[in-house]
Amino acid sequence: MENAIIELEGLTKFYGSLKAVDNLHLKIKAGEVFGLLGPNGAGKTTTILMMLGLTEPSAGTAKVCGFNATRDPISVKRKVGYMPDNVGFYDNMTAFENLLYIARLNGLGIDNVHDRVQEMMELVGLGAAMHKKTSAYSRGMKQRLGLADVLIRQPEVIILDEPTLGIDPTGVKEFLQLIRELSRQQGITVLLSSHHLHQVQQVCDRVGIFVGGKLLAEGNIHQLSQNLFSEESCLVTITLADTPPDTAELESMLSEIGAVRKVTVSGNGVDISCVENITPELVRLFVEKGFGITGVYRKEYGLEEIYQQYFDNNLTENVSHGKSSGLFQRSFFRKTAN
Amino acid sequence: MESPAVYFKDLFSGRLRIKKAARSEAAFYNRPFAVMVRKEVADHIRSWRFIVLLILIVLTFAGAMYVSLSNLKAAVSNENDPDHLFLYLKLLTATDGSLPPFHIFMSFLGALLGISLGFDAINAERNNGTLIRLLAQPVYRDNLLLAKFVSALIIVAALFLSLSLLMIGGGLVITGVPIETAEVFRILSFVILTVLYVGFWLSLAILLSVKFKQATTSALTAIGIWLFFTVFYRIIVNMIVRSFFPDPNLLAQDDILFYNNLILDLLRLAPSQLYTDATTTLLMPSVRSLGPLTMEQMAGAIPSPLPFRESVLIVWPQVSGLLASTAACFALAYFWFMRREIRT
């Protein structure tokens, strides 16, 4: 990849004997929206902390905007805006003052910093609650303030750790749209970690699936589904008006088509797994043979399936390995407990 | 959060980036460190905790002043006391025994002040989730520790300086006696010493706030250390002396002197002892030594006040002791904090 803005090479982090992040290699292009997906305790936050130099890797390097995050965290932090998952503010100050403080810390305290702060507060939709103490803020408002806090510094890279936690569905949509919009217009690179699959699916160019400290797969959703469901990257279900008289004949007829891998006939439903999308040909064939079609449904593999597949694979793998299964069980239960 | 595209059109195009010339001009006041110190000072001043402490100290000061003012006449006209002409020092030290003088009070209250200004410096920020946000800004980690320390010291210094200036002003109005240069120096160095003493407890409290995740734990530990030094340490030293040291009735004078010095050295491991020693010497110019003196040493000495420089020389070991322990606490806090993983 040519202009990688985030480069992780062999990044590893131990907590005692627990390997939180395991030999992670990852490159993120400038201007990309990258989603880091994984269950709780997968090492997402640890990875992010290492990118910001807030914790030291046990091995490997993290390079952000060309700076080594461990050696030169200040240069990295000048370019990167980070919103932690549990964003906190000074409760005894108003939201405006909180934001002003951050702006001043970033050396913006000279010209029209007040206007700038106000503009930001209005942008994230907190214009009316600007002079309230942050202790009176709801979780969602704090999250928005957190975004303002990140954006006021004009970062090149934005790292968001579980950004949609605690925001209502419409809020999430707006929030993600804003992020997407920003990335498109200003060429800002966005890295967001989440376990909310749908949301990530909506905005990310690429995703990385991260379980147990390992990056199991990365790529865009299409690539991932091809990798994972190479056997059956496309599943077409055709519902017929009547039950076909000779199922065996129908199956053999369909199997002759090159792209078809598997045919299952059950009642008046026909499931056809194929390598590529040949739905039009299939429909034409059925019509030519005189079948009445009442419904055609093409199933696409979304992130949910992809994630589930990886997660399940990993779970069974670990159960079969016996020893280290505890970690995944535990992280799974923690997820459900949340 | 509506139509973000419109708002962002300019924001990222560099319109608001600061011009270079303006930056260098105002750079000093807007360095992250200065910004942090300002914010911390403002936080302290607005906090109830500081207001309560302020009231406590001002009341103590007023009480001590009242007692010393009512005894001032007796103290100044006491011809046997070589210090009786230092009116303003007498204001700080004279007492009829109903209340301890101000500087003895301060050895208790100073510790309390330092502890309460610092015990939640780092861990409260961590628990609120502000620490990680703060450290994700382009600021050096040590700037945060230093800002916490410096801002509290600025407040303490302003507090004591204004109290002593009030005292001098009040004394001038009430008695009409002009102040002497030596007195100004002595009172100023008393203020500096008090700030240094508070600084020691402050750095200890910050150290504990880095170490412990809960603010209550660090506060309790700090108060525990303070209680140990003010109450139990003396008892423990006495126990050691009684069980291990020989009976003084059976010893030669040199040996008694040696053991006495040893006991004093042991007691001086407590910071409050260092502070009391140093302030006593500074505020009572006739104090010549902080240890026992032999008859030979005293022979030929005229009971007169020492010059300021000599008093400073006597207390120099105490001052360096306080400075060293402050620096040690701070260095340890620094060491623990710098490579610590920050997460909420």
Side-chain angles (χ1 to χ4, degrees):
Chain A
M1 213 172 289
E2 292 261 310
N3 48 351
I5 198 158
I6 297 178
E7 278 182 88
L8 309 180
E9 273 172 30
L11 209 59
T12 306
K13 176 76 183 176
F14 284 99
Y15 288 112
S17 61
L18 176 78
K19 220 175 202 177
V21 177
D22 188 0
N23 196 20
L24 176 64
H25 292 269
L26 180 65
K27 281 185 180 177
I28 297 175
K29 272 186 295 184
E32 195 174 29
V33 181
F34 189 89
L36 205 53
L37 271 177
N40 294 49
K44 290 173 301 202
T45 305
T46 310
T47 309
I48 289 173
L49 290 184
M50 286 192 279
M51 284 182 213
L52 287 162
L54 290 175
T55 184
E56 287 178 30
S58 308
T61 52
K63 266 191 166 179
V64 181
C65 303
F67 300 106
N68 184 326
T70 316
R71 296 273 174 74
D72 193 3
I74 298 293
S75 305
V76 171
K77 288 180 205 163
R78 280 208 185 97
K79 308 260 182 184
V80 179
Y82 169 55
M83 187 167 99
D85 55 348
N86 220 327
V87 62
F89 296 93
Y90 295 105
D91 284 344
N92 54 346
M93 288 155 74
T94 66
F96 188 82
E97 287 167 339
N98 263 298
L99 205 52
L100 195 62
Y101 180 47
I102 293 299
R104 288 205 167 122
L105 277 185
N106 282 283
L108 301 171
I110 292 137
D111 288 339
N112 39 6
V113 68
H114 281 82
D115 299 342
R116 179 76 192 286
V117 170
Q118 189 157 359
E119 234 172 301
M120 270 298 160
M121 297 291 285
E122 276 159 12
L123 171 79
V124 296
L126 291 173
M130 198 157 61
H131 294 292
K132 265 195 205 166
K133 296 240 158 127
T134 44
S135 50
Y137 266 37
S138 69
R139 176 82 209 234
M141 286 163 94
K142 278 189 183 168
Q143 212 76 10
R144 283 164 190 235
L145 185 57
L147 186 66
D149 177 289
V150 166
L151 293 177
I152 199 160
R153 308 159 43 187
Q154 303 171 323
E156 287 176 22
V157 180
I158 301 179
I159 297 179
L160 305 165
D161 199 353
E162 301 283 2
T164 53
L165 223 62
I167 311 186
D168 52 62
T170 38
V172 167
K173 214 172 162 196
E174 283 174 4
F175 196 94
L176 292 174
Q177 230 158 25
L178 181 61
I179 291 170
R180 179 95 183 158
E181 207 85 47
L182 276 177
S183 164
R184 285 285 166 278
Q185 288 190 346
Q186 319 294 334
I188 299 174
T189 315
V190 180
L191 172 72
L192 60 92
S193 88
S194 183
H195 55 247
H196 286 273
L197 311 167
H198 302 292
Q199 299 163 2
V200 171
Q201 198 166 6
Q202 281 168 30
V203 294
C204 290
D205 298 322
R206 287 199 306 146
V207 294
I209 293 182
F210 206 57
V211 178
K214 283 184 187 151
L215 193 67
L216 294 181
E218 59 163 302
N220 59 35
I221 299 196
H222 182 66
Q223 282 172 347
L224 279 183
S225 71
Q226 280 207 327
N227 288 349
L228 195 68
F229 306 99
S230 49
E231 292 277 299
E232 31 180 318
S233 77
C234 184
L235 181 74
V236 184
T237 308
I238 298 176
T239 319
L240 303 173
D242 310 301
T243 316
D246 190 353
T247 38
E249 191 203 326
L250 183 65
E251 275 178 23
S252 63
M253 179 189 78
L254 287 171
S255 305
E256 277 165 27
I257 305 171
V260 172
R261 285 282 167 274
K262 204 173 137 204
V263 181
T264 343
V265 184
S266 51
N268 49 359
V270 186
D271 291 337
I272 304 149
S273 311
C274 34
V275 189
E276 51 193 306
N277 188 6
I278 51 163
T279 321
E281 287 90 12
L282 285 173
V283 173
R284 211 170 295 134
L285 187 73
F286 274 91
V287 172
E288 277 168 16
K289 297 287 172 193
F291 292 108
I293 298 174
T294 54
V296 178
Y297 172 69
R298 187 166 71 89
K299 190 177 180 191
E300 262 187 295
Y301 289 103
L303 212 43
E304 188 92 39
E305 283 80 20
I306 296 168
Y307 183 70
Q308 202 57 47
Q309 186 84 11
Y310 271 110
F311 192 68
D312 285 348
N313 282 352
N314 209 275
L315 203 65
T316 45
E317 217 170 85
N318 276 285
V319 170
S320 63
H321 286 155
K323 258 191 172 176
S324 54
S325 66
L327 168 66
F328 296 98
Q329 302 281 17
R330 225 184 305 136
S331 61
F332 178 71
F333 285 127
R334 216 184 300 151
K335 185 190 168 195
T336 50
N338 283 348
Chain B
M1 272 203 233
E2 36 190 49
S3 64
V6 181
Y7 285 108
F8 271 88
K9 219 166 178 181
D10 284 346
L11 279 178
F12 288 83
S13 60
R15 173 173 66 100
L16 290 153
R17 292 221 188 260
I18 307 113
K19 283 174 200 136
K20 270 213 169 136
R23 181 178 293 209
S24 63
E25 193 180 297
F28 181 76
Y29 297 102
N30 289 295
R31 277 181 321 164
F33 179 65
V35 173
M36 278 189 197
V37 170
R38 264 188 290 171
K39 186 238 159 207
E40 293 297 331
V41 169
D43 269 4
H44 279 313
I45 289 175
R46 285 182 200 147
S47 71
W48 274 106
R49 184 196 317 175
F50 181 70
I51 294 172
V52 169
L53 279 166
L54 184 72
I55 292 170
L56 202 63
I57 286 175
V58 169
L59 280 182
T60 315
F61 181 74
M65 280 306 109
Y66 176 74
V67 171
S68 66
L69 267 178
S70 46
N71 290 294
L72 194 59
K73 199 173 175 191
V76 173
S77 51
N78 179 7
E79 299 277 334
N80 292 330
D81 182 1
D83 298 337
H84 69 99
L85 283 177
F86 288 98
L87 184 96
Y88 291 89
L89 297 183
K90 279 287 158 223
L91 257 181
L92 273 173
T93 52
T95 172
D96 59 357
S98 62
L99 261 186
F102 187 59
H103 66 278
I104 301 291
F105 255 127
M106 278 323 297
S107 69
F108 299 102
L109 283 180
L112 209 58
L113 187 65
I115 289 172
S116 60
L117 288 180
F119 76 91
D120 62 350
I122 301 297
N123 47 19
E125 292 239 15
R126 181 220 284 280
N127 293 342
N128 283 341
T130 46
L131 185 62
I132 187 162
R133 212 168 45 87
L134 200 59
L135 290 182
Q137 312 300 325
V139 294
Y140 293 101
R141 269 191 199 197
D142 53 336
N143 273 1
L144 179 67
L145 270 188
L146 207 59
K148 294 272 180 197
F149 186 69
V150 168
S151 62
L153 273 196
I154 287 176
I155 287 192
V156 171
L159 171 65
F160 285 117
L161 199 63
S162 36
L163 277 183
S164 45
L165 288 180
L166 269 178
M167 193 267 302
I168 293 175
L172 269 175
V173 169
I174 293 168
T175 63
V177 179
I179 191 162
E180 280 178 48
T181 330
E183 283 180 301
V184 174
F185 282 129
R186 279 173 188 277
I187 289 173
L188 267 185
S189 47
F190 165 69
V191 170
I192 293 171
L193 202 66
T194 308
V195 173
L196 182 63
Y197 177 62
V198 176
F200 165 74
W201 288 105
L202 183 68
S203 65
L204 183 72
I206 290 180
L207 170 73
L208 293 172
S209 86
V210 170
K211 186 70 196 165
F212 295 115
K213 286 190 175 146
Q214 294 297 326
T216 39
T217 318
S218 77
L220 273 179
T221 314
I223 288 177
I225 292 172
W226 171 59
L227 271 182
F228 172 76
F229 276 125
T230 42
V231 180
F232 300 111
Y233 188 65
R234 192 169 278 273
I235 299 174
I236 289 173
V237 169
N238 279 338
M239 266 167 55
I240 292 171
V241 167
R242 232 177 281 149
S243 36
F244 293 107
F245 284 23
D247 184 359
N249 294 331
L250 305 173
L251 286 175
Q253 201 197 18
D254 282 356
D255 289 334
I256 293 179
L257 205 61
F258 168 76
Y259 281 118
N260 264 332
N261 274 326
L262 193 63
I263 293 168
L264 273 173
D265 285 346
L266 277 179
L267 283 176
R268 281 188 193 132
L269 287 178
S272 53
Q273 184 67 35
L274 290 181
Y275 174 72
T276 330
D277 278 1
T279 45
T280 310
T281 315
L282 281 172
L283 294 178
M284 299 178 177
S286 57
V287 173
R288 314 193 138 223
S289 162
L290 290 164
L293 286 175
T294 56
M295 286 311 284
E296 293 103 73
Q297 281 172 311
M298 285 299 285
I302 306 159
S304 66
L306 289 179
F308 173 62
R309 192 172 160 274
E310 301 301 318
S311 290
V312 170
L313 281 181
I314 290 176
V315 301
W316 197 244
Q318 271 77 2
V319 174
S320 8
L322 271 180
L323 264 178
S325 39
T326 309
C329 281
F330 196 74
L332 193 57
Y334 192 91
F335 174 72
W336 277 340
F337 187 60
M338 285 311 275
R339 301 189 66 176
R340 152 92 45 108
E341 177 181 284
I342 310 293
R343 76 191 305 171
T344 39

